[in-house]
């Protein structure tokens, strides 16, 4: 079931990923024993205002694909374009990232205001302007200025993930890549965060790539979904309402587990 905030996306292609391959060396002791082909010619498109779900079991290669898309890893082969231009360093600030492990993705010695201002350093903002900007970001994710001087250990899991989302949108990205962003949270908190993400998508005119192993969260937030297995897309559903018509045996098995 889609959230009440759901709104159909536009058709303009924002990001295009074409024929991505990635291998890693297989080591045994000090020796290399060949390579493991993790991604095998993956192609996908993300439209403006769209949420694309990538679902697959652990080890399927979906997180590796995410790292390549945001520039944290390099593909062996293939291309990524952003509004038709080859994706490069200038485009990387256009993608924000929210990880599964919100605890390890922040410095425990930093206060909330320091965590959020990390991507904004060098922006030329005065100290006062920076703090006002951070307060606005906190309010966007359902927090307030009372959280500015708190440390991560003083926050609940849901609150800390909201801080991570505030950091991710601080640079006004066009895309958020969410890698298992709610899977470590309690179920009730998961849906609070999902509703927040859907609301932010509309208000901030964002597009999402939502990587997960949980089909239920995909059906709640995504417009379309790719089923990922052993480094390949085995099925694509371009309209989430057509999910019931999937044909691939692996996709059906995932649907049955979540059903």
């Amino acid at each position: 079931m889609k959230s009440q905030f759901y709104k159909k996306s536009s058709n303009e292609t924002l990001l295009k990923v074409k024929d991505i391959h990635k291998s890693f060396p297989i080591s045994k002791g000090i020796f290399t024993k060949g390579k493991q082909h993790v991604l095998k010619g993956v192609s996908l498109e993300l439209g403006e205002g769209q949420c694309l779900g990538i679902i697959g079991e652990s080890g399927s290669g979906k997180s590796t694909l995410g790292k390549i898309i945001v520039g944290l890893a390099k593909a062996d082969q293939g291309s990524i374009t952003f509004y038709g231009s080859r994706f490069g360093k200038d485009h990387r600030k256009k993608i924000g990232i929210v990880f599964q492990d919100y605890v390890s993705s922040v410095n425990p010695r930093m206060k909330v205001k320091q965590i959020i201002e990390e991507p904004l350093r060098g922006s030329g903002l005065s100290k006062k302007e920076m703090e006002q900007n951070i307060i606005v970001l906190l309010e966007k994710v359902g927090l307030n200025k009372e959280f500015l001087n708190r440390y991560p250990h003083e926050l609940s899991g849901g609150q800390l993930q909201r801080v991570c989302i505030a950091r991710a949108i601080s640079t006004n990205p066009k895309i958020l890549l969410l890698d298992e962003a709610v899977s470590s949270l309690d179920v009730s908190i998961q849906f609070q965060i999902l509703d927040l993400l859907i609301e932010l998508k509309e208000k901030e005119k964002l597009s999402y790539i939502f990587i997960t192993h949980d089909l239920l969260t995909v059906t709640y937030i995504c417009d379309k979904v790719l089923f990922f297995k052993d480094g390949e897309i085995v099925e694509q559903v371009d309209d989430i309402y057509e999910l019931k018509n999937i044909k691939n045996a692996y996709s059906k098995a995932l649907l049955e587990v979540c059903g």
Side-chain angles (χ1 to χ4, degrees):
M1 179 179 177
K2 296 294 288 189
S3 165
Q4 60 177 323
F5 296 109
Y6 174 71
K7 181 180 177 183
K8 196 168 181 61
S9 59
S10 70
N11 293 321
E12 186 172 359
T13 299
L14 176 59
L15 188 79
K16 184 178 285 188
V17 174
K18 187 176 180 181
D19 196 31
I20 295 293
H21 289 258
K22 180 66 177 178
S23 297
F24 292 104
I26 301 171
S27 299
K28 189 174 182 181
I30 61 172
F31 301 102
T32 299
K33 297 285 187 178
K35 291 185 175 182
Q36 180 184 5
H37 204 174
V38 177
L39 297 175
K40 306 167 185 175
V42 177
S43 299
L44 59 86
E45 292 186 11
L46 177 68
E48 269 192 344
Q50 194 172 60
C51 180
L52 167 65
I54 302 177
I55 185 167
E57 297 173 312
S58 296
S60 60
K62 60 189 188 298
S63 290
T64 299
L65 176 64
K67 289 176 181 177
I68 290 172
I69 289 174
V70 300
L72 294 178
K74 188 175 180 181
D76 299 333
Q77 179 183 321
S79 64
I80 299 174
T81 55
F82 183 78
Y83 280 128
S85 299
R86 192 169 185 86
F87 191 81
K89 290 181 179 179
D90 293 340
H91 297 129
R92 286 177 188 167
K93 62 183 178 181
K94 296 297 183 182
I95 302 184
I97 313 168
V98 182
F99 296 104
Q100 173 183 6
D101 193 345
Y102 43 83
V103 176
S104 65
S105 66
V106 300
N107 187 330
R109 296 185 180 88
M110 283 186 174
K111 295 178 180 180
V112 164
K113 63 182 180 182
Q114 295 171 310
I115 292 168
I116 297 175
E117 78 178 22
E118 271 188 293
L120 299 173
R121 288 171 187 165
S123 62
L125 294 174
S126 67
K127 187 176 180 180
K128 184 177 180 180
E129 288 171 332
M130 180 72 79
E131 185 164 302
Q132 286 301 315
N133 193 21
I134 293 169
I135 291 171
V136 170
L137 287 164
L138 284 172
E139 290 172 346
K140 285 182 178 181
V141 298
L143 302 176
N144 57 47
K145 64 182 181 181
E146 294 178 6
F147 287 83
L148 281 172
N149 293 306
R150 294 189 190 179
Y151 289 94
H153 72 270
E154 297 177 300
L155 307 180
S156 67
Q159 289 170 341
L160 187 51
Q161 193 63 304
R162 286 172 188 266
V163 170
C164 291
I165 293 168
R167 179 178 60 182
I169 65 172
S170 65
T171 57
N172 298 312
K174 294 291 291 182
I175 301 169
L176 277 193
L177 186 135
L178 303 134
D179 191 354
E180 301 281 8
V182 299
S183 61
S184 296
L185 300 169
D186 292 338
V187 173
S188 61
I189 306 300
Q190 284 185 16
F191 286 99
Q192 290 176 24
I193 298 297
L194 289 173
D195 281 340
L196 168 66
L197 289 169
I198 294 168
E199 190 172 5
L200 280 174
K201 186 162 80 74
E202 300 304 323
K203 289 183 176 179
E204 305 297 316
K205 302 187 185 307
L206 292 164
S207 301
Y208 292 159
I209 299 174
F210 193 84
I211 297 173
T212 184
H213 66 278
D214 181 8
L215 192 58
L216 181 59
T217 55
V218 165
T219 59
Y220 195 78
I221 192 173
C222 295
D223 305 308
K224 68 177 186 178
V225 58
L226 306 177
F227 288 87
F228 217 71
K229 185 177 187 292
D230 297 332
E232 298 178 289
I233 296 168
V234 296
E235 189 159 9
Q236 177 170 326
V237 179
D238 289 324
D239 184 342
I240 199 68
Y241 293 108
E242 297 299 320
L243 196 62
K244 61 184 181 297
N245 297 323
I246 55 176
K247 296 178 173 60
N248 182 271
Y250 174 75
S251 305
K252 286 183 176 179
L254 286 179
L255 187 61
E256 288 170 5
V257 167
C258 297

